[in-house]
């Protein structure tokens, strides 16, 4: 039986329903990074690891000799070059891990059919948003709504300043529009599920859902911005029209394949375009955290989950208080999993189905994710170059998983709620007790929380198939700000990582894992400062630049 998650985004194996839409189909590039490596590629990566290791050992010998001959004045230079050598060697080792993982079968997961029934685990999708443009918010919320899952709730955490009614109204209007669009699909689905349980009836519903998706594609084209044509086109083709093709293929299968399992067909239809879409503004309530970062925006809502709340007036403004036995003005259900999704990211339709299936089969995993790739075909050279480094980071995350050293990537991930409870803390903020799940010690809160999860015995799983895409800074100023954030946060968290390893009694026993984890935290700082220092040093000591091509050759290869 062909499962929903494996129907390719193309026409079915026979005649498809006629397409009356003027929109082109499948304009976008094919998914990247899916090619399985052959023996030749693995041998190449092994060769580069060996070359980097030899160069590193040669440098260590020469550095000790230089220190012996010239004294401690050589130490800064030796540490600078040594740090760059370490980054290059660690990258090659991690790249080898990615190549090995890609060659192996995917992790065990629950079959899709087992996750589409009424008893499927519940998922809350949290989308933290701060002054996002209308088109960006629409695309993100829509991608979450189109993700195949039955027990799903989408909450946009709108953090726009309440004293700026214009941007706030635009954000709330974008959410309301997506809610209205999705209501059209829900009506199609509900009518089919309420009627006779026949393959023909379900096929008709899939045909109507495909037509609805083509209509959504036209609306997205009306919202598109020429400056972001590559992003808008990608969402239309790879998220919306690809799903429309799936619905047509499913309709064809239901009409032509004998012996259809109607219970499975019903569950598959029930898991399509489902989920309540709501918004929440923490800044409306004085007793919630107002700290200006994404982590505390998430924490404010996570702390409310599983409770019924009423709004009470206080001297400093409105408060959310437990409703007790009285009527609740806000009910926030507890769910088995939480999906965090940045407002400039999108997920494909199989995202939840695939990653929850992995988490259900791996009880020791706190987080399952597919590190995002950048939207292809960026407009500016800066965006294309930054996008290339983002895609390299994808391989770094995958390789880190091979060594059990993966970090949570907050742009998109599914987190087990029980794991979040394990790292829950409380603190006082403006006299109010605040629940903290995701630490805000640095701006790379996902990385810091990974260390907390490691302390509790949890691990992070990276799924190799690309299922999420995100925007990349299009100008140098925005890129510099982003990379500065990453570098500063990693340096701060490095000492937390050392403390965590020591607490677990594995500082020396876990050196291989520490070698890989440290690269992720320190390489932005070491690489940028080291290269800059080498260029400055070459003005007075030209021979220092001799080392640059020597150790960078295997890295760039």
């Amino acid at each position: 039986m062909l499962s929903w998650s494996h129907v390719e985004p193309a026409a079915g194996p026979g005649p498809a329903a006629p397409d009356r839409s003027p929109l082109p189909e499948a304009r976008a590039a094919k998914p990247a990074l899916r090619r399985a490596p052959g023996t030749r590629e693995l041998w190449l990566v092994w060769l580069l690891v060996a070359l980097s290791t030899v160069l590193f050992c040669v440098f260590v010998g020469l550095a000790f000799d230089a220190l012996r001959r010239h004294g401690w004045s050589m130490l800064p230079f030796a540490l600078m070059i040594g740090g760059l050598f370490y980054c290059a060697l660690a990258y090659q080792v991690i790249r080898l891990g990615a190549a090995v993982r890609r060659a192996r079968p995917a992790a065990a997961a629950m079959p899709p059919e087992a996750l589409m029934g009424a008893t499927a685990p519940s998922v809350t999708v949290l989308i933290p948003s701060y002054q996002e443009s209308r088109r960006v918010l629409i695309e993100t919320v829509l991608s979450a709504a189109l993700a195949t899952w039955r027990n799903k709730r989408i909450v946009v955490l709108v953090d726009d300043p309440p004293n700026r009614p214009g941007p706030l109204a635009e954000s709330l209007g974008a959410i309301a529009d997506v809610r209205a669009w999705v209501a059209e699909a829900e009506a199609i689905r509900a009518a089919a599920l309420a009627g006779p349980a026949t393959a023909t009836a379900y096929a008709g519903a899939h045909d109507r859902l495909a037509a609805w998706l083509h209509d959504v594609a036209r609306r997205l084209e009306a919202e598109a911005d020429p400056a972001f044509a590559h992003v808008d086109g990608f969402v239309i083709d790879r998220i919306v029209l690809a799903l429309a093709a799936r619905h047509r293929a499913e309709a064809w299968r239901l009409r032509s394949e004998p012996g259809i399992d109607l219970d499975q067909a019903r569950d598959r239809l029930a898991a399509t375009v489902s989920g309540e879409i709501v918004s929440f503004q923490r800044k409306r309530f004085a007793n919630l955290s107002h700290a200006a970062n994404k982590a505390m925006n998430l924490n404010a809502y996570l702390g409310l989950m599983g409770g019924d709340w009423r709004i009470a007036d206080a001297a400093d403004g409105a408060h959310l208080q437990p409703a007790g036995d009285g009527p609740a003005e806000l009910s926030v259900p507890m769910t088995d999993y939480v999906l965090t999704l940045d407002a400039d990211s999108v997920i494909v339709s199989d995202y939840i189905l695939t990653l929850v299936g992995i988490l259900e089969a791996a009880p020791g995993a706190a987080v399952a994710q597919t590190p995002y790739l950048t939207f292809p075909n960026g407009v500016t050279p800066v965006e294309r170059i930054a996008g290339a480094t983002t895609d390299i980071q994808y391989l770094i995350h995958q390789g880190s998983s091979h060594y059990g050293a993966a970090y949570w990537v907050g742009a998109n991930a599914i987190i087990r709620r029980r794991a979040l409870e394990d790292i829950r803390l409380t603190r006082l903020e403006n006299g109010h007790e605040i629940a903290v799940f995701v630490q805000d010690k640095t701006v790379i809160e996902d990385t810091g929380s990974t260390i907390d999860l490691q302390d509790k015995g949890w691990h992070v799983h990276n799924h190799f198939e690309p299922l999420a895409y995100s925007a990349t800074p299009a100008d140098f100023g925005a890129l510099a700000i982003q990379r500065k954030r990453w570098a500063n946060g990693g340096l701060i968290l490095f000492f937390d990582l050392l403390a965590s390893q020591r607490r677990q009694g594995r500082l020396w026993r876990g050196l291989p894992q520490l070698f890989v984890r440290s690269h992720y935290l320190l390489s932005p700082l070491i690489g940028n400062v080291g290269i800059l220092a080498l260029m400055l040093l070459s003005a007075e000591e030209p021979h220092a630049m001799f080392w640059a091509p020597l150790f960078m050759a295997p890295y760039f290869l």
Side-chain angles (χ1 to χ4, degrees):
M1 183 73 66
L2 189 64
S3 74
W4 178 264
S5 64
H6 292 94
V7 177
E8 291 299 324
D19 181 5
R20 297 180 176 85
S21 168
L23 292 167
E25 196 97 39
R27 288 190 305 239
K30 294 180 180 179
L33 302 174
R34 281 187 175 176
R35 181 177 58 85
T39 305
R40 189 175 179 182
E41 181 178 350
L42 284 172
W43 273 110
L44 174 60
V45 179
W46 269 113
L47 178 63
L48 293 175
V49 170
L51 180 58
S52 296
T53 303
V54 169
L55 288 173
F56 185 78
C57 292
V58 169
F59 165 75
V60 170
L62 291 175
F64 275 112
D65 183 64
L67 289 173
R68 183 179 58 82
R69 289 171 178 269
H70 304 289
W72 293 105
S73 62
M74 289 294 295
L75 184 61
F77 176 74
L79 290 176
M80 178 180 62
I81 300 292
L84 292 171
F85 260 112
Y86 158 70
C87 290
L89 175 59
Y91 172 74
Q92 300 301 343
V93 171
I94 293 168
R95 179 66 184 84
L96 175 63
V100 171
R101 286 195 73 225
R102 185 162 54 179
R104 290 179 177 174
M110 291 278 287
E113 291 78 8
L115 295 169
M116 292 189 186
T119 59
S122 52
V123 176
T124 295
V125 183
L126 295 183
I127 303 174
S129 169
Y130 178 73
Q131 295 188 337
E132 296 290 348
S133 70
R134 173 182 164 84
R135 47 164 289 281
V136 167
L137 200 51
I138 283 176
E139 290 170 354
T140 301
V141 177
L142 182 65
S143 76
L146 296 182
T148 303
W149 197 256
R150 190 159 178 171
N151 299 329
K152 179 178 63 180
R153 188 167 184 265
I154 301 167
V155 185
V156 185
L157 304 177
V158 180
D159 220 25
D160 298 357
N163 58 356
R164 297 189 61 192
L168 179 60
E170 182 175 287
S171 295
L172 297 178
I175 298 165
D177 285 347
V178 177
R179 188 188 300 121
W181 298 356
V182 170
E184 298 168 5
E186 289 175 336
I188 295 171
R189 187 192 68 235
L193 294 176
T198 65
T200 301
Y202 294 156
H206 284 288
D207 279 335
R208 289 190 291 277
L209 286 170
W212 170 77
L213 284 164
H214 277 276
D215 189 46
V216 168
R218 294 188 191 92
R219 298 174 193 177
L220 290 177
E221 285 199 334
E223 299 278 352
D225 185 334
F228 300 96
H230 62 297
V231 175
D232 299 330
F234 182 92
V235 172
I236 290 170
D237 292 324
R238 287 288 308 280
I239 306 296
V240 178
L241 293 183
L243 186 57
R246 282 187 170 197
H247 280 295
R248 286 199 304 275
E250 180 68 4
W252 182 92
R253 187 182 74 87
L254 288 168
R255 290 191 177 100
S256 61
E257 189 175 300
I260 290 290
D261 185 329
L262 289 178
D263 288 336
Q264 280 191 9
R266 180 183 180 85
D267 287 343
R268 187 175 292 116
L269 182 60
T272 300
V273 199
S274 64
E276 179 187 15
I277 301 174
V278 299
S279 62
F280 179 79
Q281 301 172 60
R282 60 169 174 151
K283 290 177 179 176
R284 290 178 53 204
F285 307 104
N287 63 329
L288 299 184
S289 173
H290 288 194
N293 57 65
K294 182 177 76 174
M296 294 312 295
N297 192 12
L298 290 168
N299 286 328
Y301 195 83
L302 290 170
L304 299 175
M305 291 180 68
D308 293 324
W309 307 89
R310 64 182 180 86
I311 301 174
D313 292 327
D316 57 350
H319 284 209
L320 277 179
Q321 296 181 350
D325 296 330
E329 295 174 80
L330 175 67
S331 292
V332 185
M334 179 65 75
T335 54
D336 301 303
Y337 296 99
V338 174
L339 191 170
T340 59
L341 180 64
D342 280 2
D344 59 354
S345 303
V346 298
I347 56 176
V348 302
S349 60
D350 280 347
Y351 184 95
I352 302 177
L353 196 61
T354 301
L355 297 186
V356 171
I358 290 170
L359 286 169
E360 288 289 288
V367 178
Q369 62 190 10
T370 167
Y372 64 88
L373 294 176
T374 188
F375 291 113
N377 306 316
V379 177
T380 66
V382 168
E383 185 177 6
R384 290 195 295 273
I385 294 169
T389 65
T390 296
D391 292 349
I392 289 174
Q393 283 292 320
Y394 180 94
L395 291 175
I396 289 175
H397 286 295
Q398 297 295 351
S400 297
S401 280
H402 179 67
Y403 305 103
Y407 284 99
W408 169 14
V409 181
N412 71 92
I414 294 186
I415 309 108
R416 197 184 300 271
R417 176 68 202 208
R418 186 159 52 86
L420 286 173
E421 291 295 336
D422 276 356
I423 60 174
R424 176 178 182 147
L425 301 170
T426 58
R427 75 181 189 205
L428 285 179
E429 185 177 306
N430 295 326
H432 303 294
E433 191 175 86
I434 303 295
V436 178
F437 302 86
V438 183
Q439 62 162 282
D440 65 334
K441 180 178 180 180
T442 70
V443 291
I444 50 173
E445 68 289 329
D446 42 6
T447 306
S449 296
T450 303
I451 299 172
D452 295 338
L453 290 168
Q454 175 185 274
D455 276 347
K456 299 295 183 179
W458 295 98
H459 70 271
V460 174
H461 175 83
N462 279 309
H463 182 61
F464 213 103
E465 182 184 10
L467 298 173
Y469 298 82
S470 191
T472 303
D475 62 85
F476 188 77
L479 180 64
I481 292 170
Q482 180 194 68
R483 301 305 160 94
K484 176 187 174 184
R485 267 197 354 254
W486 292 354
N488 290 347
L491 181 62
I492 294 169
L493 292 174
F494 174 68
F495 298 100
D496 289 350
L497 175 63
L498 293 178
S500 174
Q501 296 281 112
R502 187 171 59 251
R503 282 193 298 270
Q504 297 180 63
R506 53 186 296 183
L507 189 58
W508 298 109
R509 184 166 48 87
L511 271 181
Q513 189 184 69
L514 183 63
F515 176 84
V516 174
R517 283 197 184 279
S518 299
H519 170 268
Y520 183 72
L521 296 178
L522 298 179
S523 59
L525 178 70
I526 293 175
N528 292 310
V529 172
I531 293 295
L532 177 61
L534 262 183
M535 291 190 293
L536 295 175
L537 186 63
S538 66
E540 295 183 0
E541 301 285 346
H543 68 276
M545 287 306 291
F546 166 77
W547 289 94
L550 183 64
F551 73 77
M552 294 306 286
Y555 183 80
F556 283 121
L557 281 173

